[in-house]
Amino acid sequence: MASASQAVRRQRPRSLLAGSAILVVGIVLAAVPQLLAPLSPLRFDYAHLLSAPSLLHPLGTDEFGRDMLSRVIWGYAVDMQIALFATVPALLVGTVVGALAGYFGGFAETLLVQLVGVVVAFPFLVLVIAIVTVLGPGLVNMYVATALVGWVFYAQLMMVEMKLQRRLDYAAAARAMGYGQVRIIFRHLLPNAVTAVLIYWMTDMALAILLGSSLGYVGLGAQPPVAEWGALIAGGKNYMTTAWWMTVFPGIAIVVTGLGFSLTGDGLGTLLGVRR
C-alpha cells in the first residue's frame, strides 16, 4: 500500500510539468503571434479557397483562402485573453468578499449564502448569454457578464475555506497577540485559505475558453474577422463534409489548451496540498 501511494505521488507532479509546458507554448503563441504565424490571419488568397492541408498551408485554408494555421495561432492571443479577463475580476472580487463573509459570519455570510442560492438556481451559461444579449455581443460585454455571475462561486469557496481557517490555533494566537482584523484576514488567514481558490481558478480558465468559444460560435463573443477558435468553428460548420480542417484544428486547440489548464490545476493542487 505504501509503495503504491508513493508511486502515485511521484506521478502526479508530472501533470504540473505537462500542463505547464502546454500553457507555456500557448502563452508564447499568444504573446507573439505575428512572429510565429506564417501569414496574416486576414490575408485573402482566392487562388486557394478551401484548400486541404498541404506544405503551403499546413492546416488548410478557409472559404476566403485565409491560412488556417495563422488563424489558429492568432486565436491563441484572443482565447488566452478570454481565459484571463473572464476570470480575474471574478477571482479578485469573489476572494475578498468570501474572505470577509467567512471571517465575520453573521449577516454577511447569510446574505452571501442566499445570493449563491439565487445564482446557482440558473445555469451559468444561460445567465451569461442573457446578460450578453442585453449588453450586446462582443468580448468586453462577455467579460462583464462573467464577472457579474462568476464572482459568486469564488466567494462561496473562499467563505468555506476562511471559516475553517479562523477556527485553527494560529488564528486564535494572532487574535490573542492583538493583531488587527485586516492583518489577520489578509496576512495570516487568506494565504492559507486561497489554495482551493487557485486550483478552481485554473479550471475556471479552461471553462472560460469553452465559454468564449461557445459564445463565439453563436455570434455573441468575438466578432468577425477576429480569429477566435469558437468563431472559426462556427465559420467552418457549413463545410464539415468538404473542408473538415476548418473546424477540427480550432477544436483541437481548444481541447489542448483546456487540458493544459486542467493538468496545471491538478499538479498545483498536489503541490500546495503537500505544503499545507
Side-chain angles (χ1 to χ4, degrees), residues 4-275:
S5 176
Q6 292 174 358
V8 171
R9 290 188 178 183
R10 285 196 300 269
Q11 292 173 3
R12 278 191 171 180
R14 295 179 183 177
S15 63
L16 180 60
L17 295 176
S20 299
I22 293 173
L23 292 185
V24 167
V25 172
I27 291 172
V28 171
L29 292 173
V32 288
Q34 67 276 11
L35 299 181
L36 300 174
L39 298 170
S40 168
L42 303 179
R43 179 178 178 270
F44 287 14
D45 184 358
Y46 294 109
H48 297 89
L49 303 180
L50 298 176
S51 294
S54 62
L55 292 178
L56 181 61
H57 300 286
L59 301 188
T61 64
D62 64 8
E63 71 273 27
F64 298 109
R66 294 175 294 193
D67 182 65
M68 286 301 299
L69 175 59
S70 300
R71 290 180 67 74
V72 169
I73 290 176
W74 276 90
Y76 272 97
V78 178
D79 283 84
M80 295 298 279
Q81 170 189 311
I82 290 174
L84 288 177
F85 292 170
T87 58
V88 169
L91 167 68
L92 296 178
V93 174
T95 298
V96 173
V97 172
L100 295 175
Y103 182 80
F104 290 107
F107 175 76
E109 179 181 351
T110 302
L111 180 61
L112 181 58
V113 170
Q114 295 298 324
L115 182 59
V116 170
V118 172
V119 173
V120 300
F122 301 92
F124 177 78
L125 182 59
V126 172
L127 286 176
V128 172
I129 290 178
I131 296 173
V132 174
T133 301
V134 172
L135 298 178
L139 290 179
V140 174
N141 289 337
M142 189 195 80
Y143 301 150
V144 173
T146 54
L148 290 175
V149 179
W151 72 269
V152 176
F153 302 100
Y154 287 97
Q156 180 187 30
L157 183 57
M158 175 53 71
M159 181 182 68
V160 174
E161 291 294 317
M162 185 63 72
K163 288 175 65 176
L164 294 175
Q165 293 296 323
R166 75 180 184 184
R167 297 190 182 99
L168 299 181
D169 292 339
Y170 79 95
R175 288 190 290 268
M177 295 180 66
Y179 293 154
Q181 292 179 331
V182 174
R183 176 174 177 174
I184 293 174
I185 294 173
F186 292 101
R187 185 171 177 179
H188 299 280
L189 301 185
L190 187 60
N192 290 287
V194 78
T195 300
V197 174
L198 292 178
I199 297 170
Y200 176 77
W201 178 45
M202 299 304 298
T203 303
D204 196 32
M205 282 195 284
L207 296 176
I209 291 178
L210 293 176
L211 174 64
S213 299
S214 300
L215 294 181
Y217 184 84
V218 298
L220 294 176
Q223 300 299 297
V226 174
E228 190 275 325
W229 294 331
L232 296 183
I233 294 174
K237 68 179 184 296
N238 295 326
Y239 302 94
M240 281 295 295
T241 58
T242 57
W244 54 266
W245 51 88
M246 291 179 61
T247 55
V248 169
F249 291 121
I252 291 175
I254 293 173
V255 172
V256 171
T257 305
L259 180 63
F261 281 114
S262 297
L263 290 175
T264 302
D266 178 72
L268 184 63
T270 301
L271 291 180
L272 294 178
V274 170
R275 288 174 182 174

